[in-house]
Amino acid sequence: TWIKFTKECVGSPVLNESACINKWNCESEWLKSTTLHSNYVNQVKAPQIVASHLTSDKTLIRIIRNSNTHTLIIYQHREETDRLVSAIKHVVQRSHREILFDGTKNLLAEEKLIKLIKSKKDEIGQGQDKILTCDTYDAMKETSPNMIFMNYKHSDRLQKILLKHFCPERLAMDAVRENDFKKKKLTFLVKLPSINNSSGAVVDFHEWLEGKRYMIEWALDMRADATCRSKTKHLENKIFGCSDKAFEVAKNEEN
């Protein structure tokens, strides 16, 4: 969404889109392209907005450490459990053929489904625990960047603000949204294991997932490698507790 918006607003001359096969490898390609001297000497003015998807803390730390007084970093945040549930839906849409029950169309085998989630395939394994790490918070403390954390649901409002300042001629354009899952219409059922020689029940996939929403991370130990979660929870309390759903990092903030 944001890479597309940036391209439409300011041209996005830095992102190497030809090498960006899908949104999950955009970060590495963006990181490579920003280190190329030619991306700056071949244009009169550097881009005013640069957007990237993050899959690890390395890119964010680099941005924070190299930011200056004229740099504003806007981090769009999503609560991790909510993000994980959405990611599972996305991955199942693309990979459902791998987890079918006896090859039956749109009928998922619960054991295979759980194995898929536990493997952290694709978006399932990409979350805030890899980005908001102790190293990230250390970089924020050491650098005191101009940085705002914002609820991802406020993308439309943020886009309008950026349009007004960087490409006012496009103010009439609709907000840029991309959600592959909404474009899909496939529905799934989940076949539960048989118990005591009785046939296992069949339940709606969304019902199955919602029923496990608040236990799945613990049951599958999904956040075993997370660090400094207390700082992230403190941050989320400020983001979601504010009427604007945004929080500016205070200079030299300890917590």
Side-chain angles (χ1 to χ4, degrees):
T1 300
W2 279 103
I3 291 174
K4 182 178 180 181
F5 169 83
T6 304
K7 178 183 177 182
E8 293 182 2
C9 182
V10 296
S12 187
V14 171
L15 182 67
N16 180 6
E17 292 181 282
S18 63
C20 184
I21 300 171
N22 58 62
K23 68 179 182 179
W24 296 110
N25 80 334
C26 282
E27 180 194 2
S28 61
E29 296 304 329
W30 177 87
L31 185 57
K32 292 176 186 175
S33 63
T34 54
T35 61
L36 295 177
H37 184 62
S38 60
N39 279 329
Y40 297 97
V41 298
N42 290 341
Q43 54 186 310
V44 176
K45 188 177 181 181
Q48 293 177 294
I49 306 174
V50 176
S52 177
H53 295 281
L54 297 174
T55 57
S56 71
D57 59 356
K58 292 181 177 60
T59 301
L60 182 57
I61 291 172
R62 182 183 170 202
I63 294 171
I64 290 171
R65 286 179 174 164
N66 289 281
S67 63
N68 55 54
T69 56
H70 303 285
T71 304
L72 174 62
I73 303 168
I74 302 175
Y75 181 101
Q76 288 216 296
H77 183 77
R78 185 172 188 175
E79 192 275 325
E80 178 60 16
T81 301
D82 185 54
R83 185 212 67 80
L84 175 63
V85 169
S86 177
I88 292 171
K89 293 176 182 179
H90 277 276
V91 174
V92 167
Q93 283 286 337
R94 290 198 305 269
S95 306
H96 63 275
R97 293 179 181 83
E98 303 172 13
I99 55 175
L100 294 178
F101 179 80
D102 288 343
T104 305
K105 184 178 180 180
N106 294 358
L107 180 61
L108 310 178
E110 185 183 50
E111 300 96 327
K112 294 179 180 178
L113 175 58
I114 292 174
K115 186 177 180 180
L116 177 76
I117 296 170
K118 191 172 183 178
S119 72
K120 300 183 179 181
K121 182 174 182 177
D122 299 337
E123 294 98 321
I124 295 175
Q126 307 298 335
Q128 68 180 23
D129 293 339
K130 287 189 173 182
I131 301 166
L132 298 179
T133 63
C134 286
D135 288 341
T136 301
Y137 288 114
D138 287 344
M140 290 165 57
K141 180 179 177 180
E142 294 166 2
T143 312
S144 294
N146 298 319
M147 189 169 184
I148 294 174
F149 283 82
M150 175 178 284
N151 188 330
Y152 82 102
K153 292 182 179 180
H154 286 228
S155 291
D156 290 7
R157 190 172 69 174
L158 177 57
Q159 286 184 18
K160 289 298 181 184
I161 293 172
L162 295 176
L163 285 170
K164 180 179 179 180
H165 288 278
F166 295 103
C167 47
E169 72 281 1
R170 294 178 173 270
L171 268 173
M173 69 184 282
D174 293 331
V176 177
R177 302 186 187 92
E178 287 185 355
N179 191 326
D180 294 336
F181 180 70
K182 289 183 178 179
K183 297 176 184 176
K184 306 287 186 180
K185 296 191 186 257
L186 292 177
T187 57
F188 301 103
L189 297 173
V190 178
K191 180 70 165 62
L192 305 182
S194 301
I195 301 177
N196 297 327
N197 297 321
S198 62
S199 178
V202 174
V203 298
D204 177 77
F205 167 61
H206 291 283
E207 180 183 343
W208 180 91
L209 188 56
E210 285 300 317
K212 295 172 172 53
R213 171 183 282 266
Y214 300 111
M215 292 293 288
I216 200 163
E217 291 162 303
W218 170 78
L220 301 182
D221 203 16
M222 301 292 285
R223 309 184 76 168
D225 299 326
T227 61
C228 286
R229 284 194 63 199
S230 64
K231 291 182 180 291
T232 300
K233 289 180 179 179
H234 178 71
L235 184 67
E236 286 180 332
N237 288 338
K238 292 186 176 181
I239 297 171
F240 301 126
C242 176
S243 59
D244 289 331
K245 304 302 179 186
F247 170 67
E248 180 178 5
V249 176
K251 305 303 180 186
N252 297 315
E253 184 167 88
E254 293 287 338
N255 298 312

